[in-house]
Amino acid sequence: MSVFTEVPQAVPVAVFKLTADFREDKDPNKVNLGVGAYRTDDSQPWVLPVVKKVERIIVEDHTLNHEYLPILGLPEFRSSASKIALGDDSPAIQQNRVGGVQCLGGTGALKIGAEFLRRWYNGINNTSTPVYVSAPTWENHNAVFADAGFKDVRPYKYWDAENRGLDLAGFLGDLESAPEHSIFVLHACAHNPTGTDPTQGEWMQIADVMKRRKLFVFFDSAYQGFASGSLEKDAWAVRYFVSLGFELFCAQSFSKNFGLYNERVGNLTVVAKDNDNLTRILSQMEKIVRTTWSNPPSQGARLVAITLNTPKLFEEWKDNVKTMADRVLLMRAQLKAKLQALGTPGTWEHITQQIGMFSFTGLNPKQVEYLVKEKHVYLMASGRINMCGVTTKNIDYVAESIHEAVTQVQ
C-alpha cells in the first residue's frame, strides 16, 4: 500500500479547469471569457512589440551570464518597479525609506509579504491579527494569508450586488469596526473580480478611517497602466496613502502590463517609516526568500528593468499598454450598447463604469451554467468575464447569448 493512500484529490483551480473545458469543446462558436490574460481582436495572446525588442537586446548583450542574482533580486528592477508604483518624485523614495523584493509574480509578492507579516507584524510570530480581504476578491488572497499561518482571514464589504457598484458605506463600516492594527488587502486599481474601484474622493475617505484606526495597508497592484491606460491614474491610491505617511506593502505584478504571464515577474514594494526600519525589514525578507525560492530568475526582471530605465523604450511600452487598455474600453462600450439594443432586462451601465480586465456582469449561477452548457460561452461561476475575450468577431454572439440567458433563465 502506498504511503500516500490517504491523500485526497484536490479540487481543480476553477479558472484553469474552465480553460481546459474550453479547449476540449469542439463547438465552432465557443468563446473563452474566463482566463485572466489579454487577447487580441483575433483571440490570440499578444507579445508586446517592446518586449520583442528588448529580448533581442538581451540576446545580443554578450556581457550577460547566468550567475545567481542577489537574493532580493535584480537591483535595477527592484528600484524601477518601486518608482512606477510611487512616482519618480516620491518623497518616500527621496528619503530612502522605500525598498523592493523581486518576487515570482504578484502571487509571490503577496506570499513574501504575508510570511513577513505573520512573523514580525505587531508582535513576533503573530497569527491572530485579523487579515481582511474584500468580498468578493481574487481567490488567492484568502489562500495566501491562510497558508502563511494567519488564523483569522475575514471579508470586508465591497460589492453592492443590487446596485452593481461599490458598497462604500459597508466598506467604511467594516474599517471602523475592525480591531486596531488589522491588515487590509486593498486592490490598487481594476478590482478583481468586480472591476469596480473607489473614486479618488472615496479613497480619501477610506484612507482617513484607516489612518485613524491604525490599520495596515497591503496593496495588490496587478494592473497598473493596463486598467486606464495611465500609469499615474492607476497608481493614484497607492501614492495618496504614501503621501499621508502610511507604512505599507504593495505587491506588483508585471504579468498583464508587460504580457509576461509565464515569466513570473513581480515586486514587493516596502514603504517604511525610515531607513533603519527598512533595512531591518528587508533583512528578514531576505531570509524568507532564501528558504522559499532562494534566488529569483533574471530574464523577465531584466526585460522590465531595461524597458523602464531606457526613456525611448519606456515611452514605447506605455503606448503598448495603452493599446491593450483602449481595446478593453472599446469592448466594454460596444457590449453595453449591444445588450441595450437587444433590450436585455436590467441595467448594463456597470459594464462601462467598471474598469480593467474583468467585468462583474451580475449574471447568476444558473445563467452562467446556461451560457457554458448551451451557448459554449465560458465564464466564471461568479459571473465574472474577461473583457479581453470579447472581440469584434464574437461580440454579437456573446451579447445575444447573454440576452438569451437573462430572458430564459431566472
Side-chain angles (χ1 to χ4, degrees):
M1 183 177 292
S2 170
V3 295
F4 302 113
T5 300
E6 301 301 319
V7 177
Q9 179 66 42
V11 177
V13 176
V15 69
F16 290 101
K17 175 64 165 59
L18 193 73
T19 300
D21 291 344
F22 169 80
R23 286 173 179 161
E24 293 175 5
D25 192 335
K26 304 302 182 184
D27 192 278
N29 294 318
K30 67 179 182 178
V31 180
N32 187 359
L33 303 182
V35 64
Y38 180 78
R39 292 292 182 263
T40 67
D41 196 50
D42 293 318
S43 300
Q44 297 301 311
W46 190 44
V47 180
L48 275 61
V50 72
V51 167
K52 289 183 178 180
K53 186 175 294 185
V54 178
E55 284 176 333
R56 287 193 291 270
I57 292 172
I58 291 173
V59 167
E60 293 167 4
D61 186 345
H62 300 296
T63 68
L64 298 179
N65 54 50
H66 294 289
E67 289 292 296
Y68 289 117
L69 294 183
I71 293 174
L72 291 182
L74 192 68
E76 55 267 38
F77 165 75
R78 295 161 51 205
S79 60
S80 58
S82 293
K83 280 182 181 178
I84 69 163
L86 305 185
D88 288 340
D89 57 350
S90 172
I93 292 177
Q94 294 169 4
Q95 293 159 10
N96 199 24
R97 55 188 183 88
V98 174
V101 180
Q102 182 186 334
C103 299
L104 303 188
T107 299
L110 289 164
K111 176 69 170 176
I112 296 302
E115 293 286 346
F116 173 85
L117 292 172
R118 194 266 296 165
R119 288 166 171 78
W120 298 107
Y121 176 69
N122 199 31
I124 297 174
N125 199 27
N126 186 350
T127 61
S128 60
T129 295
V131 177
Y132 286 81
V133 298
S134 66
T137 195
W138 181 47
E139 60 184 13
N140 252 4
H141 284 154
N142 287 281
V144 165
F145 283 90
D147 286 354
F150 283 98
K151 300 183 183 302
D152 190 2
V153 182
R154 310 177 183 180
Y156 62 84
K157 296 180 185 68
Y158 192 87
W159 173 249
D160 180 347
E162 183 176 352
N163 296 305
R164 298 185 180 181
L166 179 67
D167 180 3
L168 181 63
F171 189 172
L172 294 175
D174 284 345
L175 291 173
E176 291 283 8
S177 63
E180 285 191 352
H181 303 294
S182 293
I183 298 165
F184 273 76
V185 179
L186 305 180
H187 300 233
C189 66
H191 182 273
N192 182 1
T194 71
T196 297
D197 290 349
T199 64
Q200 291 185 5
E202 289 167 342
W203 273 123
M204 290 178 180
Q205 294 180 64
I206 293 163
D208 178 66
V209 177
M210 296 193 77
K211 192 168 183 63
R212 175 165 46 80
R213 298 283 302 139
K214 300 181 176 66
L215 304 174
F216 185 81
V217 183
F218 197 145
F219 276 109
D220 186 356
S221 180
Y223 304 97
Q224 187 181 356
F226 189 96
S228 69
S230 166
L231 293 174
E232 290 70 29
K233 184 175 181 180
D234 293 346
W236 189 90
V238 178
R239 296 177 186 184
Y240 180 71
F241 275 73
V242 172
S243 75
L244 296 181
F246 278 85
E247 290 186 284
L248 57 80
F249 291 172
C250 180
Q252 297 169 264
S253 169
F254 293 90
S255 293
K256 272 74 176 179
N257 57 17
F258 266 85
L260 295 174
Y261 303 97
N262 64 10
E263 292 287 354
R264 310 312 301 134
V265 186
N267 187 63
L268 178 63
T269 288
V270 177
V271 181
K273 185 178 179 62
D274 51 41
N275 180 258
D276 177 62
N277 275 280
L278 176 67
T279 301
R280 288 183 285 105
I281 291 168
L282 292 179
S283 75
Q284 292 296 336
M285 287 186 172
E286 188 173 50
K287 291 173 70 72
I288 296 169
V289 170
R290 178 61 173 159
T291 59
T292 306
W293 52 69
S294 186
N295 301 82
S298 70
Q299 177 76 1
R302 196 179 304 281
L303 195 156
V304 172
I306 291 170
T307 304
L308 298 183
N309 288 299
T310 308
K312 187 176 180 180
L313 294 172
F314 182 56
E315 292 303 316
E316 184 176 347
W317 172 64
K318 288 195 291 185
D319 285 342
N320 290 174
V321 173
K322 193 172 187 306
T323 295
M324 294 189 286
D326 286 349
R327 195 184 92 71
V328 172
L329 291 170
L330 177 63
M331 290 300 99
R332 285 186 179 278
Q334 291 189 0
L335 181 59
K336 182 184 79 169
K338 289 183 181 295
L339 289 170
Q340 290 175 334
L342 289 167
T344 310
T347 176
W348 299 97
E349 293 295 332
H350 58 287
I351 292 180
T352 52
Q353 291 169 350
Q354 295 166 357
I355 194 170
M357 179 177 286
F358 301 116
S359 177
F360 218 48
T361 59
L363 295 168
N364 65 43
K366 288 185 178 179
Q367 291 165 343
V368 170
E369 184 180 12
Y370 179 87
L371 283 166
V372 174
K373 291 187 175 180
E374 302 299 328
K375 307 303 294 183
H376 306 273
V377 175
Y378 289 79
L379 66 160
M380 300 297 288
S382 63
R384 187 199 83 175
I385 64 174
N386 176 11
M387 291 304 306
C388 304
V390 181
T391 71
T392 57
K393 300 172 182 63
N394 66 29
I395 192 168
D396 287 324
Y397 181 73
V398 169
E400 290 162 4
S401 298
I402 292 174
H403 176 81
E404 191 174 309
V406 171
T407 53
Q408 296 190 20
V409 182
Q410 299 304 314

